[in-house]
């Protein structure tokens, strides 16, 4: 647990100054984005996850830091590793905004990916492993998560629903409005 807190604090220390100064940059908007995800991994089980991202939107893209928790559903369905429990993850994510034009409307499609680390417990021992994710969408995102565990790679596809909320930061007055 101490490792998780240390990694989170390190990312928070690095990312917070960028987020706090984002309101002063022209064309840059800070945001917070909660989300939920329903998935299916290739070990024949369902997964459910929650996440929160803090980031910045800029002309043509976004960058954020994401903290989330993924839980197995129907844990008895594990095939490869019956002792692999839920895990927490920390990602740095980047993406671009693609403008798609139809006959009547303009739709923005956000496409990107992230890299990070998972924190999990296996047979009562705390461990970490690398993680990658790719996604594309707008509010609803098809996703692919890839875990690089010591003995194998675990793939998990899913649908994620996010709700990006813009933040108005005025640190001079310590005023945060949404």
């Amino acid at each position: 647990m101490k490792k998780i807190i240390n990694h989170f604090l390190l990312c928070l220390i690095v990312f917070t100054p960028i987020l706090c100064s984002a309101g002063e940059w022209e064309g840059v908007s800070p945001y917070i984005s909660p989300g939920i995800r329903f998935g299916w991994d290739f070990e024949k089980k369902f997964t459910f996850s929650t996440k929160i991202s803090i980031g910045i939107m800029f002309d043509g893209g976004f960058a954020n830091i994401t903290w989330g928790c993924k839980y197995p559903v129907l844990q008895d369905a594990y095939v490869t590793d019956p002792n692999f429990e839920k895990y927490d993850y920390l990602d740095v994510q980047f993406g671009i905004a693609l403008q798609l034009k139809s006959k009547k409307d303009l739709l923005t499609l956000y496409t990107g990916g992230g890299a990070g680390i998972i924190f999990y417990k296996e047979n009562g021992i705390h461990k970490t492993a690398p993680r990658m994710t790719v996604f594309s969408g707008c509010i609803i995102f098809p996703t692919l998560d890839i875990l690089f565990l010591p003995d194998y790679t675990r793939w998990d596809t899913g649908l994620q629903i996010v709700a990006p909320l813009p933040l108005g930061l005025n640190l001079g007055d310590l005023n945060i409005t949404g």
Side-chain angles (χ1 to χ4, degrees), residues 16 54 86 99 105 112 125 138:
T16 299
I54 298 173
K86 74 120 180 148
Q99 302 290 322
D105 297 319
I125 300 169
C138 183

Side-chain angles (χ1 to χ4, degrees), residues 66-140:
T66 298
W67 179 266
C69 299
K70 187 174 283 189
Y71 306 89
V73 179
L74 304 173
Q75 186 161 349
D76 61 336
Y78 276 4
V79 175
T80 305
D81 190 353
N83 299 308
F84 187 84
E85 300 171 4
K86 74 120 180 148
Y87 67 85
D88 298 321
Y89 63 91
L90 183 64
D91 281 350
V92 176
Q93 299 177 347
F94 299 94
I96 59 172
L98 303 171
Q99 302 290 322
L100 304 175
K101 293 183 182 182
S102 68
K103 292 181 181 179
K104 297 180 182 177
D105 297 319
L106 181 66
L107 173 68
T108 302
L109 183 68
Y110 297 95
T111 300
I117 191 166
I118 68 168
F119 306 92
Y120 66 102
K121 191 158 78 171
E122 185 177 53
N123 295 322
I125 300 169
H126 292 281
K127 296 183 176 184
T128 59
R131 173 187 195 281
M132 288 180 50
T133 187
V134 292
F135 49 83
S136 185
C138 183
I139 306 298
I140 299 174

Side-chain angles (χ1 to χ4, degrees), residues 6 28 44 53 56 62 83 104-105 123-124 136 140 154 158 172:
N6 288 342
V28 175
K44 300 181 181 171
S53 297
I56 53 174
F62 65 92
N83 299 308
K104 297 180 182 177
D105 297 319
N123 295 322
S136 185
I140 299 174
R154 178 176 279 173

Side-chain angles (χ1 to χ4, degrees), residues 14 20-21 24 29 39 51 60 75 81-82 84 88 105 114 116-117 130 143 154 161 168 172:
V14 169
C20 291
S21 64
E24 300 169 9
S29 303
K51 67 105 181 168
Q75 186 161 349
D81 190 353
F84 187 84
D88 298 321
D105 297 319
I117 191 166
T143 63
R154 178 176 279 173
I161 302 166

